[in-house]
Amino acid sequence: MTGLALAPVLTVAPNGAWAEGEGASPVHVSATLTPSLSHAARSGGRYYGAAARADHLRQDKALRAAILRDCEVLTPEIHLKWNSLEWRKGQFHFTPVDDLLAFADENGLRVRGHTLLWDQSTPDWAKHEMLDRRDWRLMSEHFSRVLGRYASRIDEWDVINEPIDTVSGAHALRRNTFFRAFGPTYIERAMEEARTHAPHAHLVINDYGFEYGNPVDKARRQAFVALARRLRAARVPLDGVGVQAHLDLSKGPIDRVGLQEMTKALIDLGLDITVTELDVKETEASASTPARDQKVADETRRYLDVMLAFPEVRGVVTWGLTDKFSWLTEQVDARVRADRGVNRGLPYDDAYSPKPMYWALEDTLRASA
Ligand code: XIL
């Protein structure tokens, strides 16, 4: 499929909330779009989506067009995180989430709720308060505020993000602020709390580091299954798991058998699975662009070949759509970036040409139908 050009599939409608930036009008997807990643995913009963930020959507007409062509689902990359919603205690920033939801609503996209609890995105004031007072009401109020406002429009939530740590954790749980304040059962309590405020939502625990053959990934796979087993046995409201799938070319071959065993064990517990943050971190930026792009595509294909053999894998979300806006590029400091350029680990390059990774996604999603 490599090298196929995308047909122009977008029509532009007059006026609307997205008419800012370069003076663009909102872009609506045409009914006959093909090929597209959503189209391919839907043929297998799945969805395809991408993470995005409201400010990027507003600025960049080409991003909006690519999202409307390819995505059925959007994940707010940062705006639902606690430190984005409430950087200072009591001062709330709902506008970016509301903007992203407005864009989604106008265009018939669904939104994944990412994420209610993540240590790294918990504001300092909340961490201090939690550790000082150990008062669960802080958590209830946060859940009630966010879910009270959004649960009627967002029906799938990463309630807890990244709870596993097999290297310096306790019983394989990360010693994060929640763990230190409330003990290991913060997990059960958070899931129950989410269920109280979102009775009909699909509730998920999301984590990373399951793909490779090294001892840490192996231990993480076992720990993830053990956690899920414990929660299901205790009838804690957990509907599914999210596997982030930040693939990494420096980590050697994907452990197909290990990945299959973990996925099957999770499915046997009655859970379904979402690939929530797929992208590919590169190692050698000195290789030619076609060689780099081929490696990224091959890694994507190897991963999805395993995962999409399971019908219970309900959707694939990439952590961005274009290399222009990728956290993998954000992470590289400016000096290294000048030398290495952007990371090429997403379906479109930074000028919105689909790369071999796009076709690997399209092909594996369609082939698994
Ligand atoms: C990242 C965003 O992409 C960055 O823009 C932000 O600065 C930090 O968070 N795992 C997750 C995501 O669950 O929320 C992270 O997103 C990437 C790693």
Side-chain angles (χ1 to χ4, degrees):
M1 300 279 301
T2 311
L4 258 186
L6 285 177
V9 290
L10 300 163
T11 54
V12 178
N15 293 324
W18 297 89
E20 293 183 11
E22 66 271 59
S25 302
V27 184
H28 289 273
V29 76
S30 109
T32 55
L33 86 191
T34 176
S36 106
L37 298 180
S38 277
H39 197 260
R42 243 176 279 149
S43 69
R46 301 188 162 94
Y47 67 74
Y48 171 77
R53 287 169 43 164
D55 47 334
H56 295 160
L57 284 171
R58 190 170 281 286
Q59 281 161 26
D60 194 325
K61 182 182 175 189
L63 175 64
R64 299 197 294 279
I67 284 179
L68 294 185
R69 177 166 50 227
D70 284 302
C71 297
E72 187 177 338
V73 167
L74 277 184
T75 305
E77 185 174 351
I78 51 176
H79 313 304
L80 271 172
K81 291 169 181 169
W82 197 343
N83 61 356
S84 178
L85 291 169
E86 196 183 2
W87 176 254
R88 291 222 176 80
K89 185 174 166 67
Q91 293 182 13
F92 300 104
H93 294 279
F94 294 122
T95 310
V97 187
D98 294 346
D99 280 356
L100 189 132
L101 275 169
F103 174 79
D105 286 350
E106 275 168 32
N107 295 292
L109 306 174
R110 286 186 295 116
V111 171
R112 293 196 78 246
H114 177 81
T115 168
L116 286 160
L117 278 192
W118 185 29
D119 201 43
Q120 278 188 49
S121 65
T122 305
D124 284 347
W125 67 263
K127 288 186 178 176
H128 290 138
E129 204 171 305
M130 249 176 255
L131 292 171
D132 290 349
R133 301 199 200 143
R134 296 168 195 256
D135 184 343
W136 186 260
R137 273 177 300 182
L138 179 62
M139 307 283 261
S140 325
E141 280 162 17
H142 172 59
F143 276 50
S144 144
R145 186 170 295 112
V146 178
L147 293 173
R149 190 177 171 100
Y150 295 116
S152 62
R153 296 158 81 194
I154 301 179
D155 61 8
E156 179 173 342
W157 289 87
D158 293 337
V159 179
I160 304 173
N161 198 35
E162 305 188 354
I164 302 285
D165 180 355
T166 55
V167 175
S168 26
H171 304 291
L173 291 182
R174 190 174 296 279
R175 295 175 205 264
N176 57 24
T177 311
F178 325 116
F179 180 98
R180 284 186 285 139
F182 304 111
T185 57
Y186 86 86
I187 301 216
E188 285 88 332
R189 294 175 82 182
M191 299 310 294
E192 299 283 359
E193 191 73 54
R195 177 57 80 225
T196 305
H197 303 289
H200 308 296
H202 188 80
L203 302 182
V204 170
I205 294 182
N206 190 48
D207 217 321
Y208 69 93
F210 305 126
E211 294 81 22
Y212 294 96
N214 63 70
V216 174
D217 277 29
K218 188 173 178 200
R220 292 182 62 84
R221 288 193 284 274
Q222 286 168 355
F224 201 39
V225 172
L227 173 63
R229 183 169 291 128
R230 175 159 72 75
L231 298 180
R232 294 293 281 182
R235 299 191 178 283
V236 172
L238 173 70
D239 302 304
V241 293
V243 290
Q244 294 184 2
H246 292 294
L247 306 181
D248 185 337
L249 295 178
S250 73
K251 291 194 171 168
I254 285 174
D255 184 343
R256 293 177 60 95
V257 173
L259 196 53
Q260 271 160 351
E261 283 173 359
M262 175 186 78
T263 307
K264 175 144 192 334
L266 292 166
I267 290 167
D268 288 347
L269 291 170
L271 297 165
D272 60 31
I273 299 187
T274 310
V275 176
T276 51
E277 306 187 14
L278 177 64
D279 58 11
V280 184
K281 189 171 181 185
E282 295 182 273
T283 40
E284 300 161 53
S286 54
S288 71
T289 302
R292 288 172 63 184
D293 289 352
Q294 196 57 49
K295 277 194 175 174
V296 165
D298 291 347
E299 188 77 344
T300 303
R301 185 182 291 275
R302 274 192 294 267
Y303 178 73
L304 291 179
D305 274 347
V306 175
M307 297 305 286
L308 299 183
F310 295 98
E312 294 82 356
V313 175
R314 61 208 292 267
V316 175
V317 177
T318 49
W319 205 240
L321 196 53
T322 155
D323 299 331
K324 184 173 179 184
F325 302 117
S326 165
W327 78 303
L328 293 170
T329 299
E330 261 173 47
Q331 283 181 330
V332 174
D333 86 26
R335 262 172 313 123
V336 183
R337 200 183 307 167
D339 181 35
R340 293 209 316 202
V342 296
N343 189 85
R344 299 179 64 87
L346 286 169
Y348 287 92
D349 72 8
D350 57 1
Y352 293 95
S353 293
K355 295 179 301 173
M357 179 181 180
Y358 183 100
W359 302 112
L361 271 156
E362 209 265 343
D363 202 30
T364 46
L365 284 165
R366 190 179 298 286
S368 67

